[in-house]
Amino acid sequence: MSRLSFRPRPLDIHKKLPILKSLKDFEDDDTTTPTSATRNSQLLLRFASSSVDVDNEVHPVVPSKKLASEIPTPQFVVVDTYERDYLATFGQPASYLRARGARSELGEFVEYDLDNEDDDWLYEFDKDSNKQLSPEMLESIIFKLEVLDHKTRERAGVITPTLGSPVPVRLQLDAAIEALQSLSINYGVFQAIFNFWKDKRKRWQKPILRRLQVCTIIYASSTGQ
């Protein structure tokens, strides 16, 4: 019995590869050449020996049957009063849509985190004054000032939908003190925070809170450029 030859041979890209599904595929038929018969016999011996365990018991090879995946069928319910409960009264505006009323804007939840500039100002403020201001209090006040200023611009009808246009501060110190009097904070401390926030807004030329800034949309041409 000759050994299998593994020397490199040119591959025929048009020749179909045989698919072996069971041991019967190794059996020689009338069209099998002597070389392929020898090769099939040796492959059969290797395949059979690999299926023998320590007790010399041959385990038959059972072809695994792939179960067909079941596609779930969506369920739905017809609501007869849907068109009456949800009237089609929405009109598309010319400006961007913004979500409102999901939660109390001046509640306990704060959407602002101090940046490096805020930390530096807070450090200098605590060092120069005898009143200690916590970072959490500063975050809460800046957040509330941002929301109050946005509401002031809404009432004045000066919400700017144009990208790149400066957004000046409309909120006044007296109005902010009246709206945030429940914080029970010292007047001098609050005035210092208000002035710091207002100066920062002047440099930014836009709201500090990201969700209050004008949406940025980049339009691509049909050529992909």
Side-chain angles (χ1 to χ4, degrees):
M1 181 181 295
S2 62
R3 299 182 58 185
L4 290 177
S5 176
F6 294 100
R7 59 185 176 84
R9 295 182 176 87
L11 298 178
D12 185 4
I13 61 175
H14 302 289
K15 182 180 180 181
K16 295 183 179 181
L17 296 177
I19 300 177
L20 305 180
K21 298 181 179 179
S22 63
L23 293 176
K24 295 181 180 180
D25 296 335
F26 286 98
E27 296 179 357
D28 300 334
D29 52 13
D30 297 336
T31 60
T32 305
T33 61
T35 305
S36 61
T38 304
R39 184 180 298 107
N40 291 343
S41 300
Q42 295 185 11
L43 290 176
L44 179 61
L45 291 176
R46 290 187 179 185
F47 184 78
S49 62
S50 61
S51 61
V52 179
D53 57 5
V54 294
D55 296 331
N56 293 328
E57 294 181 359
V58 177
H59 299 274
V61 179
V62 180
S64 60
K65 184 178 181 181
K66 185 177 181 181
L67 299 178
S69 59
E70 297 181 359
I71 302 177
T73 304
Q75 304 294 329
F76 65 93
V77 178
V78 178
V79 181
D80 298 331
T81 61
Y82 179 83
E83 295 183 356
R84 186 168 62 251
D85 297 337
Y86 300 94
L87 300 178
T89 58
F90 174 76
Q92 183 175 356
S95 59
Y96 294 112
L97 298 178
R98 295 184 181 275
R100 298 177 187 171
R103 56 175 175 266
S104 178
E105 291 183 335
L106 292 179
E108 297 298 328
F109 186 82
V110 177
E111 299 182 21
Y112 183 70
D113 293 325
L114 299 182
D115 57 15
N116 294 336
E117 182 182 358
D118 301 332
D119 291 331
D120 295 340
W121 181 87
L122 181 60
Y123 174 78
E124 295 295 333
F125 178 81
D126 291 340
K127 184 175 65 174
D128 297 338
S129 63
N130 54 359
K131 297 183 180 296
Q132 296 294 322
L133 179 64
S134 65
E136 292 77 14
M137 177 61 72
L138 181 59
E139 289 176 346
S140 177
I141 293 177
I142 292 180
F143 168 69
K144 295 178 187 299
L145 290 176
E146 283 284 291
V147 175
L148 289 174
D149 180 71
H150 182 75
K151 289 182 175 294
T152 303
R153 287 186 283 114
E154 280 186 332
R155 288 192 295 267
V158 291
I159 298 296
T160 307
T162 306
L163 179 64
S165 300
V167 182
V169 174
R170 290 272 177 170
L171 182 64
Q172 300 296 323
L173 176 61
D174 296 338
I177 293 176
E178 182 179 357
L180 302 179
Q181 57 184 351
S182 60
L183 295 178
S184 301
I185 190 172
N186 181 271
Y187 176 82
V189 176
F190 186 85
Q191 185 179 23
I193 298 175
F194 183 87
N195 292 335
F196 165 72
W197 164 77
K198 190 173 183 179
D199 292 339
K200 186 174 183 178
R201 280 289 303 271
K202 287 182 179 179
R203 294 192 304 271
W204 281 43
Q205 292 293 310
K206 62 182 179 180
I208 299 176
L209 289 184
R210 182 64 185 89
R211 69 179 179 91
L212 299 181
Q213 298 175 7
V214 178
C215 297
T216 303
I217 299 180
I218 301 176
Y219 296 93
S221 63
S222 59
T223 59
Q225 297 179 353

